[in-house]
Amino acid sequence: MTETTDRNDYPLLDQVETPAQLRELMPAELPALADELRHFLIDSVSRTGGHLAAGLGVVELTIALHRVFETPRDKLIWDVGHQAYPHKILTGRRARMDTLRKKGGVSGFLRRDESEYDAFGGGHSSTSISAALGMAIAAKLHGEQREHIAVIGDGALSAGMAFEALNHAGALDMDLLVVLNDNDMSISQPVGAVSNYLARVLSSGFYNKVREGSKQVFGPLPGVKDLMHRWEEHMKGMVMPGTLFEELGFTYIGPIDGHDIPLLLSTLKNMKAMRGPRFLHVVTQKGRGYAPAEGDPCVYHGVTPFNPDTGKMEKAAGSKTYTQVFSDWVCDAASADERLVAITPAMCEGSGLVDFAERFPSRYFDVGIAEQHAVTLAAGMACDGLKPVVAIYSTFLQRGYDQMLHDVALQNLDVTFAVDRAGEVGADGATHAGSFDMSFSRCVPNMAVLAPADEAECRALLHTAYLHEGPALVRYPRGRGPGVLPGTGLDILPWGRGEIRREGANVAILAFGTPLQTALAVGQALGATVANMRFVKPLDRDLVQRLAETHELLVTLEENVVMGGAGSAVDECLAELGLRPVLLNLGLPDRYIEQATQAEQLAEAGLDRDSVLRRIRQALAAHQQALPLNAAASKSG
């Protein structure tokens, strides 16, 4: 880490509350501003946790973009939000960065309602080019002259959506600048004096005037125009990797050093003067300026609070996380069955596949940020005798829904979906919450949906789903469970069967998944029966019928939206059976729940122990009040 300032000593950064103030600084002051901004970012994130390495890599780029373009009039669209912390600091949110990712605090992603400088909300990747193109079209139709800049990372560029947008933008000939923040791809190799020189030349007004002038002079001559085009593309293709983007209709510049502020400024100024679709390829270093993050940018991509002097992170004590339970199971299952292959859409670490990738490299497939491809790839593998396990977050499976429905379920293929981050996810907020998977999966024919209640059951249900011949989804939450340690075997549980975990009377609570612990606590207070349902689909109809016939009030409890979820499945079952007990469906409300701790989010949703107890008592009181009225109505009838 550069040592130009003491921590908390920011003479230049103190002068910059908005990009307009940034533009007032002398050009020679900008490198020192970058140092201060980098120091502040490290110090801030060391206290709050959050995303670090990506932001450190774009400090100079962020300064240059806000210096050259008239934000917020010019629309700057960041892909996702991992790289946007420096942007937040320079756009009026520096004083509130200590609230990052906390309830009511600064979001870890982009939010239109948080700042006028956040032109587009970004929680899922690869959307920036499409959004920027949409804004460019709107500006043209409104007769407004402004710039539209999409900053996208090399990982996000691997998604099909990004290329769909590039293809469309080139065809429309809109004023759009795409900035590729490349910190990993092999095309970053040409960075150096020669490529920097070429970037200056190719982005200069002189070069482009000569190029356009030559086209006007020689264009009418038969054959000469095609010859000139082939010569130009051949010469550029020899020294830079921009032919693909040129063929898509973009003027390609780069690659250039993303940490050279004078070069960034001159190139961006030249490109600002151009019209039409433009593509700037910028090479950066993840974790730039902080040795621990430079040495291991993957570990320092997302961090818990850490010691900024040593880089040592705080580690949560306690039982295994559900992700670790999956990691152990998938390795053990692969050892027992050579047909097992694992697929992830760029979430190796987050989904718990690091050990699998090391032990079974030929059976591990990271497809990049390409959820649709991941699911159909699994379908293709299943067609020819493999048994794919797709390890994916609930929020990202939404992006592969059509493929899950048409390519996997319609063909009844043997694919297991290990769905992490089901339910509320804490500081990542609404964009990453797994609030909908029970609803969107249980309506799909052939699809089984399993919801383990603890760590041991998670392992057992993963293997139960894996051995099931057909598509099956196992959902489990972020973080740690109640501490029910799983064994090391490959046990299975009875298919489509729940269990009674507590015998009681009057009230029966049907818990789906990890809310079982809350249900048991409430059941103890009420003297209620508690059922661990385990399966959302196939639903244990016999257990539902027995509980409905022997209890006055049936309560369903799930960490999924109420609409279309597990409770709805119970309601539909009872209607088919012709049973009419008093019903109370408890789950996530019909609104997005923003960032907070998971406990705070559950309390806001009314799914904490006290809220569930209160709501059941209210339902009982309302039912008992209605009984005399019903009896009187019956007599008068």
Side-chain angles (χ1 to χ4, degrees), residues 231-267:
W231 176 84
E232 180 182 30
E233 294 306 309
H234 174 70
M235 294 303 293
K236 289 175 67 177
M238 287 177 63
V239 294
M240 62 185 61
T243 305
L244 168 64
F245 304 109
E246 292 274 6
E247 290 298 327
L248 287 171
F250 283 74
T251 298
Y252 172 90
I253 304 297
I256 67 170
D257 184 351
H259 302 295
D260 185 331
I261 291 181
L263 176 62
L264 285 168
L265 292 174
S266 62
T267 305

Side-chain angles (χ1 to χ4, degrees), residues 344-360:
T344 182
M347 294 302 296
C348 178
E349 294 79 16
S351 291
L353 284 175
V354 173
D355 289 346
F356 185 95
E358 292 176 355
R359 291 177 58 184
F360 308 98

Side-chain angles (χ1 to χ4, degrees), residues 517-554:
Q517 305 307 314
T518 299
L520 289 170
V522 171
Q524 180 70 29
L526 290 174
T529 296
V530 177
N532 174 23
M533 297 304 294
R534 289 180 176 157
F535 289 80
V536 179
K537 182 182 179 182
L539 184 68
D540 190 340
R541 294 168 61 91
D542 292 340
L543 182 55
V544 171
Q545 180 174 357
R546 178 157 62 91
L547 293 174
E549 290 174 342
T550 55
H551 292 76
E552 185 179 353
L553 171 65
L554 254 59

Side-chain angles (χ1 to χ4, degrees), residues 7-8 10 38-52 85 97 100 290 300 303-314:
R7 200 169 292 134
N8 303 320
Y10 307 107
R38 189 167 272 114
H39 273 271
F40 180 86
L41 180 60
I42 294 166
D43 189 52
S44 176
V45 177
S46 74
R47 293 193 300 270
T48 63
H51 293 97
L52 181 64
Y85 289 11
M97 288 299 286
L100 183 73
Y290 187 52
Y300 286 86
V303 298
T304 57
F306 63 94
N307 183 325
D309 295 321
T310 65
K312 187 175 181 179
M313 279 184 258
E314 298 176 4

Side-chain angles (χ1 to χ4, degrees), residues 79-416:
D79 209 271
V80 201
H82 304 153
Q83 56 186 338
Y85 289 11
H87 159 81
K88 288 176 178 282
I89 294 166
L90 294 175
T91 53
R93 287 165 277 186
R94 177 186 161 199
R96 297 187 64 237
M97 288 299 286
D98 60 340
T99 69
L100 183 73
R101 293 161 50 88
K102 297 178 182 177
K103 185 177 179 65
V106 173
S107 172
F109 299 100
L110 288 309
R111 291 184 60 103
R112 282 168 48 83
D113 60 0
E114 184 176 285
S115 171
E116 62 178 336
Y117 293 94
D118 291 1
F120 192 76
H124 288 186
S125 80
S126 313
T127 62
S128 58
I129 304 174
S130 297
L133 178 59
M135 294 176 191
I137 293 170
K140 184 173 183 179
L141 292 176
H142 291 318
E144 298 175 1
Q145 182 62 47
R146 66 181 185 225
E147 294 293 328
H148 307 87
I149 309 100
V151 184
I152 186 167
D154 53 85
L157 194 65
S158 68
M161 182 177 179
F163 281 95
E164 291 170 9
L166 287 170
N167 182 57
H168 190 203
L172 291 181
D173 195 33
M174 287 287 168
D175 288 339
L176 171 70
L177 171 60
V178 176
V179 178
L180 170 61
N181 171 29
D182 173 9
N183 53 38
D184 195 39
M185 294 171 67
S186 59
I187 54 176
S188 65
Q189 295 305 311
V191 171
V194 173
S195 58
N196 288 345
Y197 167 75
L198 287 169
R200 288 192 183 95
V201 171
L202 294 174
S203 68
S204 70
F206 174 77
Y207 172 83
N208 284 282
K209 285 179 182 177
V210 170
R211 182 168 67 170
E212 294 304 315
S214 299
K215 289 178 181 179
Q216 293 176 12
V217 172
F218 295 110
L221 299 179
V224 174
K225 183 176 182 180
D226 289 340
L227 176 63
M228 288 184 61
H229 177 72
R230 288 198 302 273
W231 176 84
E232 180 182 30
E233 294 306 309
H234 174 70
M235 294 303 293
K236 289 175 67 177
M238 287 177 63
V239 294
M240 62 185 61
T243 305
L244 168 64
F245 304 109
E246 292 274 6
E247 290 298 327
L248 287 171
F250 283 74
T251 298
Y252 172 90
I253 304 297
I256 67 170
D257 184 351
H259 302 295
D260 185 331
I261 291 181
L263 176 62
L264 285 168
L265 292 174
S266 62
T267 305
L268 287 170
K269 286 176 183 176
N270 287 334
M271 297 193 80
K272 183 179 180 181
M274 299 176 187
R275 299 268 63 86
R278 292 145 285 164
F279 193 101
L280 175 61
H281 180 174
V282 175
V283 178
T284 63
Q285 179 187 18
K286 264 187 179 178
R288 176 83 169 194
Y290 187 52
E294 288 180 354
D296 199 338
C298 182
V299 167
Y300 286 86
H301 168 71
V303 298
T304 57
F306 63 94
N307 183 325
D309 295 321
T310 65
K312 187 175 181 179
M313 279 184 258
E314 298 176 4
K315 290 187 178 180
S319 60
K320 287 185 176 182
T321 65
Y322 284 96
T323 304
Q324 290 168 330
V325 171
F326 165 76
S327 176
D328 293 343
W329 167 79
V330 75
C331 288
D332 292 343
S335 296
D337 187 350
E338 62 182 13
R339 297 173 299 166
L340 189 153
V341 291
I343 302 167
T344 182
M347 294 302 296
C348 178
E349 294 79 16
S351 291
L353 284 175
V354 173
D355 289 346
F356 185 95
E358 292 176 355
R359 291 177 58 184
F360 308 98
S362 65
R363 294 154 65 184
Y364 166 72
F365 301 90
D366 184 342
V367 302
I369 302 176
E371 294 87 357
Q372 295 169 302
H373 168 59
V375 176
T376 303
L377 176 69
M381 290 174 168
C383 284
D384 275 357
L386 297 178
K387 285 181 69 67
V389 175
V390 180
I392 191 168
Y393 288 10
S394 174
T395 186
F396 298 141
L397 181 57
Q398 294 164 187
R399 307 183 89 178
Y401 184 64
D402 178 71
Q403 289 68 30
M404 185 183 81
L405 196 156
H406 284 163
D407 297 339
V408 175
L410 181 62
Q411 302 184 89
N412 200 25
L413 294 172
D414 192 0
V415 176
T416 302

